[in-house]
Short mmCIF file of all heavy atoms in Angstrom, two decimals:
data_model
loop_
_atom_site.label_atom_id
_atom_site.label_comp_id
_atom_site.label_asym_id
_atom_site.label_seq_id
_atom_site.Cartn_x
_atom_site.Cartn_y
_atom_site.Cartn_z
N GLY A 239 -83.85 7.04 -39.24
CA GLY A 239 -82.47 6.61 -39.01
C GLY A 239 -81.72 6.43 -40.32
O GLY A 239 -80.55 6.83 -40.42
N ALA A 240 -82.36 5.84 -41.34
CA ALA A 240 -81.69 5.65 -42.62
C ALA A 240 -81.33 6.99 -43.26
O ALA A 240 -80.24 7.15 -43.82
CB ALA A 240 -82.58 4.83 -43.56
N ALA A 241 -82.25 7.96 -43.18
CA ALA A 241 -81.96 9.28 -43.74
C ALA A 241 -80.78 9.93 -43.00
O ALA A 241 -79.90 10.54 -43.63
CB ALA A 241 -83.20 10.16 -43.64
N LEU A 242 -80.75 9.78 -41.68
CA LEU A 242 -79.64 10.34 -40.91
C LEU A 242 -78.32 9.67 -41.28
O LEU A 242 -77.28 10.33 -41.36
CB LEU A 242 -79.92 10.17 -39.41
CG LEU A 242 -81.03 11.06 -38.83
CD1 LEU A 242 -81.30 10.67 -37.37
CD2 LEU A 242 -80.64 12.54 -38.92
N VAL A 243 -78.35 8.37 -41.50
CA VAL A 243 -77.13 7.65 -41.86
C VAL A 243 -76.59 8.14 -43.21
O VAL A 243 -75.39 8.36 -43.37
CB VAL A 243 -77.40 6.13 -41.90
CG1 VAL A 243 -76.24 5.39 -42.57
CG2 VAL A 243 -77.60 5.60 -40.50
N VAL A 244 -77.49 8.30 -44.17
CA VAL A 244 -77.05 8.77 -45.49
C VAL A 244 -76.38 10.13 -45.38
O VAL A 244 -75.31 10.37 -45.95
CB VAL A 244 -78.26 8.84 -46.45
CG1 VAL A 244 -77.85 9.52 -47.75
CG2 VAL A 244 -78.78 7.44 -46.74
N VAL A 245 -76.98 11.02 -44.63
CA VAL A 245 -76.41 12.37 -44.47
C VAL A 245 -75.09 12.30 -43.71
O VAL A 245 -74.10 12.95 -44.09
CB VAL A 245 -77.40 13.29 -43.74
CG1 VAL A 245 -76.77 14.65 -43.45
CG2 VAL A 245 -78.67 13.47 -44.57
N ALA A 246 -75.04 11.48 -42.66
CA ALA A 246 -73.82 11.39 -41.85
C ALA A 246 -72.66 10.81 -42.67
O ALA A 246 -71.52 11.31 -42.60
CB ALA A 246 -74.08 10.52 -40.62
N VAL A 247 -72.93 9.77 -43.45
CA VAL A 247 -71.86 9.18 -44.26
C VAL A 247 -71.39 10.17 -45.33
O VAL A 247 -70.20 10.25 -45.63
CB VAL A 247 -72.35 7.86 -44.90
CG1 VAL A 247 -71.32 7.33 -45.88
CG2 VAL A 247 -72.62 6.82 -43.82
N ASP A 248 -72.33 10.92 -45.89
CA ASP A 248 -71.94 11.94 -46.87
C ASP A 248 -71.05 13.00 -46.24
O ASP A 248 -70.06 13.42 -46.84
CB ASP A 248 -73.19 12.59 -47.46
CG ASP A 248 -72.86 13.60 -48.54
OD1 ASP A 248 -72.61 13.19 -49.68
OD2 ASP A 248 -72.81 14.81 -48.22
N LEU A 249 -71.38 13.43 -45.03
CA LEU A 249 -70.56 14.42 -44.35
C LEU A 249 -69.18 13.85 -44.03
O LEU A 249 -68.17 14.56 -44.10
CB LEU A 249 -71.26 14.88 -43.06
CG LEU A 249 -72.54 15.71 -43.26
CD1 LEU A 249 -73.20 16.00 -41.91
CD2 LEU A 249 -72.23 17.01 -43.99
N LEU A 250 -69.13 12.56 -43.68
CA LEU A 250 -67.82 11.94 -43.41
C LEU A 250 -66.93 12.00 -44.64
O LEU A 250 -65.71 12.18 -44.53
CB LEU A 250 -68.03 10.48 -42.99
CG LEU A 250 -68.42 10.22 -41.54
CD1 LEU A 250 -68.74 8.75 -41.34
CD2 LEU A 250 -67.29 10.65 -40.61
N GLY A 251 -67.52 11.83 -45.81
CA GLY A 251 -66.73 11.85 -47.04
C GLY A 251 -66.10 13.19 -47.32
O GLY A 251 -65.18 13.30 -48.14
N ARG A 252 -66.56 14.24 -46.66
CA ARG A 252 -65.98 15.56 -46.85
C ARG A 252 -64.78 15.79 -45.96
O ARG A 252 -64.12 16.84 -46.05
CB ARG A 252 -67.05 16.64 -46.59
CG ARG A 252 -68.26 16.48 -47.50
CD ARG A 252 -69.42 17.37 -47.06
NE ARG A 252 -70.63 17.03 -47.78
CZ ARG A 252 -71.02 17.62 -48.90
NH1 ARG A 252 -70.30 18.61 -49.38
NH2 ARG A 252 -72.13 17.26 -49.51
N VAL A 253 -64.51 14.85 -45.05
CA VAL A 253 -63.35 14.96 -44.17
C VAL A 253 -62.20 14.16 -44.79
O VAL A 253 -62.33 12.95 -44.96
CB VAL A 253 -63.66 14.42 -42.76
CG1 VAL A 253 -62.44 14.56 -41.86
CG2 VAL A 253 -64.86 15.15 -42.18
N PRO A 254 -61.11 14.80 -45.16
CA PRO A 254 -60.02 14.07 -45.82
C PRO A 254 -59.45 12.97 -44.92
O PRO A 254 -59.35 13.11 -43.70
CB PRO A 254 -58.98 15.17 -46.08
CG PRO A 254 -59.72 16.45 -46.00
CD PRO A 254 -60.82 16.24 -45.01
N LEU A 255 -59.07 11.88 -45.52
CA LEU A 255 -58.38 10.75 -44.91
C LEU A 255 -59.20 10.09 -43.81
O LEU A 255 -59.69 8.96 -43.97
CB LEU A 255 -57.01 11.18 -44.38
CG LEU A 255 -56.03 11.67 -45.45
CD1 LEU A 255 -54.71 12.10 -44.82
CD2 LEU A 255 -55.81 10.63 -46.52
N VAL A 256 -59.36 10.77 -42.68
CA VAL A 256 -60.05 10.15 -41.54
C VAL A 256 -61.51 9.83 -41.92
O VAL A 256 -62.01 8.73 -41.65
CB VAL A 256 -60.00 11.07 -40.31
CG1 VAL A 256 -60.82 10.46 -39.16
CG2 VAL A 256 -58.57 11.28 -39.86
N GLY A 257 -62.17 10.80 -42.54
CA GLY A 257 -63.56 10.57 -42.93
C GLY A 257 -63.69 9.44 -43.92
O GLY A 257 -64.58 8.59 -43.81
N THR A 258 -62.77 9.40 -44.89
CA THR A 258 -62.81 8.32 -45.88
C THR A 258 -62.55 6.97 -45.23
O THR A 258 -63.18 5.96 -45.58
CB THR A 258 -61.76 8.59 -46.98
OG1 THR A 258 -62.01 9.87 -47.56
CG2 THR A 258 -61.82 7.52 -48.06
N ALA A 259 -61.60 6.95 -44.27
CA ALA A 259 -61.29 5.70 -43.57
C ALA A 259 -62.50 5.21 -42.77
O ALA A 259 -62.82 4.01 -42.77
CB ALA A 259 -60.09 5.91 -42.65
N VAL A 260 -63.18 6.13 -42.10
CA VAL A 260 -64.36 5.74 -41.33
C VAL A 260 -65.47 5.25 -42.27
O VAL A 260 -66.17 4.27 -41.99
CB VAL A 260 -64.87 6.93 -40.47
CG1 VAL A 260 -66.17 6.57 -39.77
CG2 VAL A 260 -63.81 7.32 -39.46
N GLN A 261 -65.61 5.92 -43.40
CA GLN A 261 -66.58 5.47 -44.40
C GLN A 261 -66.29 4.03 -44.82
O GLN A 261 -67.20 3.19 -44.89
CB GLN A 261 -66.53 6.37 -45.64
CG GLN A 261 -67.42 7.57 -45.60
CD GLN A 261 -67.39 8.29 -46.94
OE1 GLN A 261 -66.37 8.31 -47.63
NE2 GLN A 261 -68.50 8.90 -47.30
N PHE A 262 -65.02 3.75 -45.10
CA PHE A 262 -64.64 2.41 -45.54
C PHE A 262 -64.98 1.37 -44.47
O PHE A 262 -65.52 0.30 -44.78
CB PHE A 262 -63.14 2.37 -45.85
CG PHE A 262 -62.63 0.99 -46.16
CD1 PHE A 262 -62.82 0.43 -47.41
CD2 PHE A 262 -61.96 0.25 -45.19
CE1 PHE A 262 -62.37 -0.85 -47.70
CE2 PHE A 262 -61.50 -1.03 -45.47
CZ PHE A 262 -61.70 -1.58 -46.72
N VAL A 263 -64.66 1.68 -43.22
CA VAL A 263 -64.93 0.73 -42.13
C VAL A 263 -66.44 0.48 -42.00
O VAL A 263 -66.90 -0.66 -41.86
CB VAL A 263 -64.35 1.25 -40.80
CG1 VAL A 263 -64.80 0.38 -39.63
CG2 VAL A 263 -62.83 1.30 -40.87
N LEU A 264 -67.22 1.56 -42.08
CA LEU A 264 -68.67 1.41 -41.97
C LEU A 264 -69.24 0.57 -43.10
O LEU A 264 -70.05 -0.34 -42.87
CB LEU A 264 -69.34 2.79 -41.95
CG LEU A 264 -69.18 3.62 -40.67
CD1 LEU A 264 -69.76 5.01 -40.87
CD2 LEU A 264 -69.86 2.93 -39.50
N VAL A 265 -68.82 0.86 -44.32
CA VAL A 265 -69.34 0.12 -45.47
C VAL A 265 -68.90 -1.34 -45.41
O VAL A 265 -69.70 -2.25 -45.65
CB VAL A 265 -68.88 0.78 -46.78
CG1 VAL A 265 -69.23 -0.10 -47.98
CG2 VAL A 265 -69.52 2.15 -46.94
N ALA A 266 -67.61 -1.57 -45.08
CA ALA A 266 -67.12 -2.95 -45.01
C ALA A 266 -67.84 -3.74 -43.93
O ALA A 266 -68.25 -4.89 -44.14
CB ALA A 266 -65.61 -2.95 -44.75
N THR A 267 -68.04 -3.13 -42.77
CA THR A 267 -68.73 -3.82 -41.68
C THR A 267 -70.19 -4.10 -42.04
O THR A 267 -70.71 -5.20 -41.79
CB THR A 267 -68.66 -2.98 -40.40
OG1 THR A 267 -67.29 -2.69 -40.10
CG2 THR A 267 -69.28 -3.73 -39.22
N GLY A 268 -70.85 -3.11 -42.61
CA GLY A 268 -72.25 -3.32 -43.00
C GLY A 268 -72.38 -4.37 -44.09
O GLY A 268 -73.27 -5.23 -44.03
#
Side-chain angles (χ1 to χ4, degrees):
L242 289 174
V243 167
V244 172
V245 174
V247 173
D248 183 81
L249 291 175
L250 279 173
R252 301 169 190 267
V253 181
L255 297 179
V256 176
T258 303
V260 175
Q261 271 186 327
F262 174 79
V263 172
L264 287 173
V265 171
T267 304

